[in-house]
Structures are given as C-alpha cells and as structure tokens.
mmCIF file of all heavy atoms in Angstrom:
data_model
loop_
_atom_site.group_PDB
_atom_site.id
_atom_site.type_symbol
_atom_site.label_atom_id
_atom_site.label_comp_id
_atom_site.label_asym_id
_atom_site.label_seq_id
_atom_site.Cartn_x
_atom_site.Cartn_y
_atom_site.Cartn_z
ATOM 1 N N LEU E 1 36.541 -41.077 -34.329
ATOM 2 C CA LEU E 1 35.684 -39.933 -34.049
ATOM 3 C C LEU E 1 35.387 -39.819 -32.543
ATOM 4 O O LEU E 1 35.493 -38.717 -31.997
ATOM 5 C CB LEU E 1 34.374 -40.050 -34.798
ATOM 6 C CG LEU E 1 33.338 -38.972 -34.611
ATOM 7 C CD1 LEU E 1 33.877 -37.615 -35.016
ATOM 8 C CD2 LEU E 1 32.033 -39.302 -35.341
ATOM 9 N N ALA E 2 35.014 -40.921 -31.913
ATOM 10 C CA ALA E 2 34.712 -40.904 -30.488
ATOM 11 C C ALA E 2 35.968 -40.456 -29.702
ATOM 12 O O ALA E 2 35.849 -39.643 -28.739
ATOM 13 C CB ALA E 2 34.269 -42.284 -30.035
ATOM 14 N N GLY E 3 37.114 -40.945 -30.100
ATOM 15 C CA GLY E 3 38.355 -40.547 -29.365
ATOM 16 C C GLY E 3 38.683 -39.089 -29.580
ATOM 17 O O GLY E 3 39.139 -38.408 -28.648
ATOM 18 N N VAL E 4 38.471 -38.594 -30.779
ATOM 19 C CA VAL E 4 38.765 -37.170 -31.066
ATOM 20 C C VAL E 4 37.781 -36.269 -30.278
ATOM 21 O O VAL E 4 38.199 -35.223 -29.720
ATOM 22 C CB VAL E 4 38.665 -36.893 -32.595
ATOM 23 C CG1 VAL E 4 38.738 -35.394 -32.886
ATOM 24 C CG2 VAL E 4 39.800 -37.627 -33.348
ATOM 25 N N GLN E 5 36.538 -36.641 -30.279
ATOM 26 C CA GLN E 5 35.546 -35.897 -29.506
ATOM 27 C C GLN E 5 35.925 -35.794 -28.048
ATOM 28 O O GLN E 5 35.822 -34.715 -27.440
ATOM 29 C CB GLN E 5 34.142 -36.488 -29.695
ATOM 30 C CG GLN E 5 33.577 -36.315 -31.082
ATOM 31 C CD GLN E 5 32.334 -37.141 -31.294
ATOM 32 O OE1 GLN E 5 32.186 -38.261 -30.783
ATOM 33 N NE2 GLN E 5 31.398 -36.632 -32.097
ATOM 34 N N GLN E 6 36.329 -36.912 -27.479
ATOM 35 C CA GLN E 6 36.696 -36.923 -26.056
ATOM 36 C C GLN E 6 37.941 -36.085 -25.838
ATOM 37 O O GLN E 6 38.083 -35.348 -24.826
ATOM 38 C CB GLN E 6 36.908 -38.346 -25.581
ATOM 39 C CG GLN E 6 37.164 -38.453 -24.067
ATOM 40 C CD GLN E 6 36.007 -37.828 -23.278
ATOM 41 O OE1 GLN E 6 34.848 -38.193 -23.469
ATOM 42 N NE2 GLN E 6 36.331 -36.932 -22.352
ATOM 43 N N CYS E 7 38.907 -36.216 -26.764
ATOM 44 C CA CYS E 7 40.170 -35.412 -26.670
ATOM 45 C C CYS E 7 39.825 -33.916 -26.667
ATOM 46 O O CYS E 7 40.403 -33.165 -25.877
ATOM 47 C CB CYS E 7 41.058 -35.773 -27.855
ATOM 48 S SG CYS E 7 42.580 -34.779 -27.970
ATOM 49 N N LEU E 8 38.904 -33.514 -27.527
ATOM 50 C CA LEU E 8 38.544 -32.096 -27.577
ATOM 51 C C LEU E 8 37.807 -31.674 -26.311
ATOM 52 O O LEU E 8 38.052 -30.586 -25.777
ATOM 53 C CB LEU E 8 37.643 -31.853 -28.792
ATOM 54 C CG LEU E 8 38.331 -31.951 -30.153
ATOM 55 C CD1 LEU E 8 37.313 -31.912 -31.303
ATOM 56 C CD2 LEU E 8 39.347 -30.840 -30.329
ATOM 57 N N ARG E 9 36.944 -32.551 -25.763
ATOM 58 C CA ARG E 9 36.265 -32.204 -24.533
ATOM 59 C C ARG E 9 37.276 -32.018 -23.378
ATOM 60 O O ARG E 9 37.163 -31.119 -22.566
ATOM 61 C CB ARG E 9 35.262 -33.301 -24.149
ATOM 62 C CG ARG E 9 34.049 -33.417 -25.070
ATOM 63 C CD ARG E 9 33.049 -34.383 -24.511
ATOM 64 N NE ARG E 9 31.937 -34.613 -25.371
ATOM 65 C CZ ARG E 9 31.832 -35.692 -26.209
ATOM 66 N NH1 ARG E 9 32.744 -36.641 -26.154
ATOM 67 N NH2 ARG E 9 30.773 -35.823 -26.997
ATOM 68 N N ASP E 10 38.247 -32.894 -23.371
ATOM 69 C CA ASP E 10 39.316 -32.812 -22.319
ATOM 70 C C ASP E 10 40.080 -31.493 -22.422
ATOM 71 O O ASP E 10 40.678 -31.040 -21.443
ATOM 72 C CB ASP E 10 40.275 -33.989 -22.444
ATOM 73 C CG ASP E 10 39.649 -35.342 -22.150
ATOM 74 O OD1 ASP E 10 38.570 -35.304 -21.543
ATOM 75 O OD2 ASP E 10 40.208 -36.385 -22.532
ATOM 76 N N ARG E 11 40.076 -30.896 -23.593
ATOM 77 C CA ARG E 11 40.749 -29.618 -23.786
ATOM 78 C C ARG E 11 39.816 -28.421 -23.674
ATOM 79 O O ARG E 11 40.178 -27.298 -24.005
ATOM 80 C CB ARG E 11 41.439 -29.600 -25.177
ATOM 81 C CG ARG E 11 42.583 -30.620 -25.319
ATOM 82 C CD ARG E 11 42.994 -30.791 -26.755
ATOM 83 N NE ARG E 11 44.158 -31.683 -26.844
ATOM 84 C CZ ARG E 11 45.429 -31.286 -26.827
ATOM 85 N NH1 ARG E 11 45.725 -29.976 -26.733
ATOM 86 N NH2 ARG E 11 46.419 -32.122 -26.885
ATOM 87 N N GLY E 12 38.587 -28.684 -23.193
ATOM 88 C CA GLY E 12 37.658 -27.620 -22.985
ATOM 89 C C GLY E 12 36.867 -27.151 -24.202
ATOM 90 O O GLY E 12 36.247 -26.090 -24.173
ATOM 91 N N VAL E 13 36.897 -27.966 -25.251
ATOM 92 C CA VAL E 13 36.177 -27.649 -26.461
ATOM 93 C C VAL E 13 34.763 -28.199 -26.397
ATOM 94 O O VAL E 13 34.579 -29.370 -26.024
ATOM 95 C CB VAL E 13 36.894 -28.198 -27.707
ATOM 96 C CG1 VAL E 13 36.085 -27.923 -28.981
ATOM 97 C CG2 VAL E 13 38.290 -27.571 -27.825
ATOM 98 N N ASN E 14 33.789 -27.398 -26.737
ATOM 99 C CA ASN E 14 32.388 -27.859 -26.769
ATOM 100 C C ASN E 14 32.134 -28.783 -27.946
ATOM 101 O O ASN E 14 32.364 -28.366 -29.102
ATOM 102 C CB ASN E 14 31.428 -26.689 -26.830
ATOM 103 C CG ASN E 14 31.460 -25.806 -25.571
ATOM 104 O OD1 ASN E 14 31.577 -26.330 -24.474
ATOM 105 N ND2 ASN E 14 31.363 -24.534 -25.747
ATOM 106 N N VAL E 15 31.751 -29.979 -27.665
ATOM 107 C CA VAL E 15 31.461 -30.988 -28.751
ATOM 108 C C VAL E 15 30.027 -31.465 -28.571
ATOM 109 O O VAL E 15 29.684 -31.900 -27.456
ATOM 110 C CB VAL E 15 32.449 -32.149 -28.680
ATOM 111 C CG1 VAL E 15 32.120 -33.179 -29.751
ATOM 112 C CG2 VAL E 15 33.892 -31.641 -28.858
ATOM 113 N N SER E 16 29.266 -31.457 -29.619
ATOM 114 C CA SER E 16 27.841 -31.860 -29.543
ATOM 115 C C SER E 16 27.637 -33.366 -29.465
ATOM 116 O O SER E 16 26.656 -33.865 -28.965
ATOM 117 C CB SER E 16 27.062 -31.287 -30.723
ATOM 118 O OG SER E 16 27.442 -31.915 -31.944
ATOM 119 N N GLY E 17 28.602 -34.089 -30.089
ATOM 120 C CA GLY E 17 28.421 -35.528 -30.219
ATOM 121 C C GLY E 17 27.696 -35.937 -31.468
ATOM 122 O O GLY E 17 27.579 -37.126 -31.770
ATOM 123 N N GLN E 18 27.246 -34.943 -32.266
ATOM 124 C CA GLN E 18 26.550 -35.234 -33.500
ATOM 125 C C GLN E 18 27.450 -35.145 -34.704
ATOM 126 O O GLN E 18 27.049 -35.372 -35.834
ATOM 127 C CB GLN E 18 25.387 -34.219 -33.709
ATOM 128 C CG GLN E 18 24.370 -34.219 -32.573
ATOM 129 C CD GLN E 18 23.733 -35.586 -32.411
ATOM 130 O OE1 GLN E 18 23.265 -36.181 -33.352
ATOM 131 N NE2 GLN E 18 23.737 -36.097 -31.187
ATOM 132 N N GLU E 19 28.723 -34.796 -34.466
ATOM 133 C CA GLU E 19 29.655 -34.656 -35.575
ATOM 134 C C GLU E 19 29.944 -36.027 -36.221
ATOM 135 O O GLU E 19 29.902 -37.056 -35.568
ATOM 136 C CB GLU E 19 30.996 -34.090 -35.089
ATOM 137 C CG GLU E 19 30.836 -32.661 -34.455
ATOM 138 C CD GLU E 19 30.495 -32.729 -32.997
ATOM 139 O OE1 GLU E 19 30.360 -33.828 -32.435
ATOM 140 O OE2 GLU E 19 30.346 -31.622 -32.416
ATOM 141 N N THR E 20 30.176 -35.977 -37.534
ATOM 142 C CA THR E 20 30.505 -37.227 -38.242
ATOM 143 C C THR E 20 31.830 -37.108 -39.030
ATOM 144 O O THR E 20 32.320 -38.143 -39.536
ATOM 145 C CB THR E 20 29.411 -37.626 -39.230
ATOM 146 O OG1 THR E 20 29.227 -36.610 -40.226
ATOM 147 C CG2 THR E 20 28.089 -37.848 -38.537
ATOM 148 N N ASN E 21 32.402 -35.904 -39.123
ATOM 149 C CA ASN E 21 33.576 -35.720 -39.933
ATOM 150 C C ASN E 21 34.357 -34.505 -39.471
ATOM 151 O O ASN E 21 33.961 -33.747 -38.592
ATOM 152 C CB ASN E 21 33.216 -35.611 -41.415
ATOM 153 C CG ASN E 21 32.108 -34.575 -41.668
ATOM 154 O OD1 ASN E 21 32.178 -33.478 -41.112
ATOM 155 N ND2 ASN E 21 31.085 -34.918 -42.417
ATOM 156 N N VAL E 22 35.539 -34.298 -40.125
ATOM 157 C CA VAL E 22 36.357 -33.150 -39.791
ATOM 158 C C VAL E 22 35.649 -31.814 -40.008
ATOM 159 O O VAL E 22 35.711 -30.938 -39.126
ATOM 160 C CB VAL E 22 37.690 -33.207 -40.569
ATOM 161 C CG1 VAL E 22 38.499 -31.904 -40.379
ATOM 162 C CG2 VAL E 22 38.518 -34.420 -40.128
ATOM 163 N N PRO E 23 34.929 -31.580 -41.132
ATOM 164 C CA PRO E 23 34.216 -30.333 -41.296
ATOM 165 C C PRO E 23 33.219 -30.032 -40.175
ATOM 166 O O PRO E 23 33.087 -28.899 -39.783
ATOM 167 C CB PRO E 23 33.525 -30.509 -42.670
ATOM 168 C CG PRO E 23 34.398 -31.438 -43.409
ATOM 169 C CD PRO E 23 34.890 -32.426 -42.384
ATOM 170 N N ASP E 24 32.564 -31.082 -39.700
ATOM 171 C CA ASP E 24 31.641 -30.884 -38.570
ATOM 172 C C ASP E 24 32.380 -30.416 -37.327
ATOM 173 O O ASP E 24 31.959 -29.507 -36.627
ATOM 174 C CB ASP E 24 30.935 -32.210 -38.209
ATOM 175 C CG ASP E 24 29.874 -32.580 -39.243
ATOM 176 O OD1 ASP E 24 29.530 -31.754 -40.106
ATOM 177 O OD2 ASP E 24 29.401 -33.754 -39.200
ATOM 178 N N LEU E 25 33.513 -31.055 -37.044
ATOM 179 C CA LEU E 25 34.285 -30.692 -35.871
ATOM 180 C C LEU E 25 34.908 -29.290 -36.049
ATOM 181 O O LEU E 25 35.236 -28.604 -35.046
ATOM 182 C CB LEU E 25 35.422 -31.702 -35.660
ATOM 183 C CG LEU E 25 34.959 -33.101 -35.250
ATOM 184 C CD1 LEU E 25 36.084 -34.127 -35.409
ATOM 185 C CD2 LEU E 25 34.411 -33.115 -33.805
ATOM 186 N N GLN E 26 35.052 -28.882 -37.288
ATOM 187 C CA GLN E 26 35.689 -27.598 -37.597
ATOM 188 C C GLN E 26 34.664 -26.498 -37.825
ATOM 189 O O GLN E 26 35.012 -25.371 -38.175
ATOM 190 C CB GLN E 26 36.560 -27.754 -38.851
ATOM 191 C CG GLN E 26 37.499 -26.618 -39.127
ATOM 192 C CD GLN E 26 38.001 -26.655 -40.548
ATOM 193 O OE1 GLN E 26 37.673 -27.556 -41.310
ATOM 194 N NE2 GLN E 26 38.797 -25.661 -40.942
ATOM 195 N N SER E 27 33.367 -26.822 -37.661
ATOM 196 C CA SER E 27 32.323 -25.870 -38.024
ATOM 197 C C SER E 27 32.440 -24.535 -37.297
ATOM 198 O O SER E 27 31.995 -23.487 -37.772
ATOM 199 C CB SER E 27 30.952 -26.488 -37.770
ATOM 200 O OG SER E 27 30.805 -26.807 -36.375
ATOM 201 N N ASP E 28 33.048 -24.527 -36.115
ATOM 202 C CA ASP E 28 33.257 -23.327 -35.350
ATOM 203 C C ASP E 28 34.772 -23.214 -34.982
ATOM 204 O O ASP E 28 35.170 -23.681 -33.886
ATOM 205 C CB ASP E 28 32.407 -23.311 -34.104
ATOM 206 C CG ASP E 28 32.540 -22.019 -33.286
ATOM 207 O OD1 ASP E 28 33.288 -21.085 -33.749
ATOM 208 O OD2 ASP E 28 31.931 -21.895 -32.245
ATOM 209 N N PRO E 29 35.566 -22.672 -35.862
ATOM 210 C CA PRO E 29 37.040 -22.617 -35.601
ATOM 211 C C PRO E 29 37.389 -21.938 -34.286
ATOM 212 O O PRO E 29 38.403 -22.285 -33.646
ATOM 213 C CB PRO E 29 37.590 -21.857 -36.790
ATOM 214 C CG PRO E 29 36.523 -22.020 -37.860
ATOM 215 C CD PRO E 29 35.245 -22.074 -37.154
#
C-alpha cells in the first residue's frame, strides 16, 4: 500500500494516505 501510494504521488495523483485498499484508491477514478 505504501509503495502504491508513493507511485501514484510520483505520477501526480492526489493520495490522502488514509487509504487501506483498492476501492479507497479508486474512490475518485
């Protein structure tokens, strides 16, 4: 999860850091 969050941040995606699963990360397609 931590690695995926950082990967998304590196791609300019806003990540809250409160996500725990794929649906959380996908909450805003």
Side-chain angles (χ1 to χ4, degrees):
L1 177 62
V4 170
Q5 288 169 328
Q6 187 57 52
C7 175
L8 290 171
R9 291 190 186 100
D10 293 343
R11 292 168 176 269
V13 176
N14 294 322
V15 178
S16 70
Q18 301 302 308
E19 299 86 1
T20 62
N21 51 47
V22 171
D24 288 348
L25 293 166
Q26 192 197 358
S27 60
D28 183 2

